[in-house]
Amino acid sequence: MPAILAALLLIAAALPAWAESRPVAELRYWETRYHENAQKIDELRSALELAAQKNPDLETLLALSQVCFMYGDVRAKTPEEKMEAYDRGRQIAKRAVELAPKSAPAQFWYGTNTGRWGQTKGVMRSLFLLPTVKDAMETALHLDPSYAPAYALGGSIYYAVPEFAGGDLDRSEALFRKGLELDPHYTNMRVGLARTLSKKGRTADARREAMAVLDETAPSNRADWIVKDVPLAKAILDQTKGHP
C-alpha cells in the first residue's frame, strides 16, 4: 500500500505540469497544420495566455510569443489588430529573454515580433527599433549559429531597411543563403531570397527561387508554405514577368 500511495502522489504531482504544457504541445502540432483549421490559432492564443498566467516558464512564454506572431500574420484583419498581436508577442518574448538570456529562440521571437510590429507601423516610422531587432538577431546567431530562423530574420532586416539606415542587399542575400544551407526546405527563407534578388535586379535568379518555392514537395512548415509562401512566390513571378 505505501508503494501504491507513493505512485499515486507522484502522478498527482505531475498532473498540473502536464496540464499546463498541453497548450504548448498543441501548438507544436498545429504550427505546421493551421491551414486545416485557422481558428485553432485563436484557441491556442487564449489557452497559452491562461497557461502563461499560471506558469510563466520559458516553454510557455515562447509558445505564446509564437502564437501571437501567427495571429498577427494570419488571423488579424486590420493593422491595429496586427500591431496589438505583435506588440503582445514582443512583450512576452522580452519576458522570455529576461528569464533565459542565453535562449536563441527567445531572442528570435523578441526580434521577430518587434520587427513585424515596426513593419506594420511603417519602416520609416519605426527605424528607432532597428538596433533592438538587430541586436536580438545577432545575439540569437551568436548563441546558436545553427538556428536557421535567425538567418531569416537577419535577411529580412537588411532587405527591408533603407540603405541610408543600414540596409544591405548583399548581406541580406548572404544571410538567406546561409539559412537555406541549414534548412533547404525553409520556404519563407527562399521567398526572402527571391525578393532580395529581385530588388538587386537579378530577375532570372529571383524567378528561379520563386519557382523553387512553388515546386517544394517537403516544406519545413506546410501551413506557412500554403498560406503565406506560395502566394508570395506567385506575386514575385507576376511582378517580374517579362523582365530580363
Side-chain angles (χ1 to χ4, degrees):
M1 287 294 292
I4 294 173
L5 180 59
L8 290 173
L9 288 172
L10 284 172
I11 293 171
L15 281 176
W18 175 86
E20 288 169 357
S21 66
R22 182 175 178 180
V24 176
E26 289 185 359
L27 176 64
R28 294 292 158 257
Y29 178 84
W30 285 105
E31 65 184 342
T32 59
R33 297 175 176 85
Y34 66 79
H35 61 290
E36 298 172 3
N37 182 2
Q39 189 174 339
K40 278 292 179 181
I41 295 174
D42 308 40
E43 297 172 6
L44 286 167
R45 188 185 182 201
S46 298
L48 284 162
E49 284 283 6
L50 290 174
Q53 291 175 19
K54 295 178 182 177
N55 182 27
D57 61 7
L58 179 62
E59 184 181 53
T60 302
L61 293 175
L62 290 177
L64 177 55
S65 181
Q66 179 182 350
V67 81
C68 285
F69 180 83
M70 292 167 64
Y71 185 91
D73 264 14
V74 178
R75 298 292 286 166
K77 299 295 189 284
T78 66
E80 291 74 22
E81 286 182 354
K82 288 179 176 293
M83 287 178 60
E84 181 183 1
Y86 300 135
D87 190 35
R88 179 60 174 160
R90 76 189 188 105
Q91 291 172 10
I92 293 298
K94 186 175 182 181
R95 289 172 58 189
V97 168
E98 292 167 351
L99 183 66
K102 293 186 178 182
S103 166
Q107 297 284 349
F108 167 75
W109 286 115
Y110 180 49
T112 292
N113 273 293
T114 302
R116 189 71 106 231
W117 182 65
Q119 188 179 37
T120 307
K121 283 169 66 73
V123 173
M124 297 304 295
R125 293 174 56 198
S126 55
L127 287 176
F128 70 95
L129 295 170
L130 182 59
T132 299
V133 180
K134 286 178 67 175
D135 182 66
M137 177 269 294
E138 290 169 356
T139 302
L141 289 177
H142 174 74
L143 291 168
D144 186 356
S146 67
Y147 189 62
Y151 292 93
L153 174 59
S156 298
I157 292 169
Y158 288 106
Y159 166 82
V161 173
E163 186 176 355
F164 74 84
D168 185 334
L169 294 179
D170 288 339
R171 192 163 186 186
S172 173
E173 179 182 352
L175 285 163
F176 282 134
R177 290 195 184 281
K178 177 60 178 178
L180 285 168
E181 288 178 12
L182 295 168
D183 185 352
H185 305 289
Y186 196 146
T187 51
N188 183 259
M189 188 101 66
R190 199 169 294 283
V191 166
L193 176 59
R195 282 175 158 176
T196 297
L197 293 171
S198 178
K199 200 171 183 179
K200 293 178 77 171
R202 292 164 56 186
T203 305
D205 292 337
R207 290 180 64 83
R208 183 163 48 251
E209 296 297 339
M211 284 301 303
V213 172
L214 300 185
D215 293 339
E216 179 62 65
T217 59
S220 299
N221 186 318
R222 179 163 292 275
D224 280 352
W225 177 67
I226 290 173
V227 174
K228 296 190 284 188
D229 301 337
V230 166
L232 288 171
K234 288 181 176 178
I236 292 169
L237 290 172
D238 287 342
Q239 292 162 6
T240 56
K241 192 173 183 179
H243 291 267

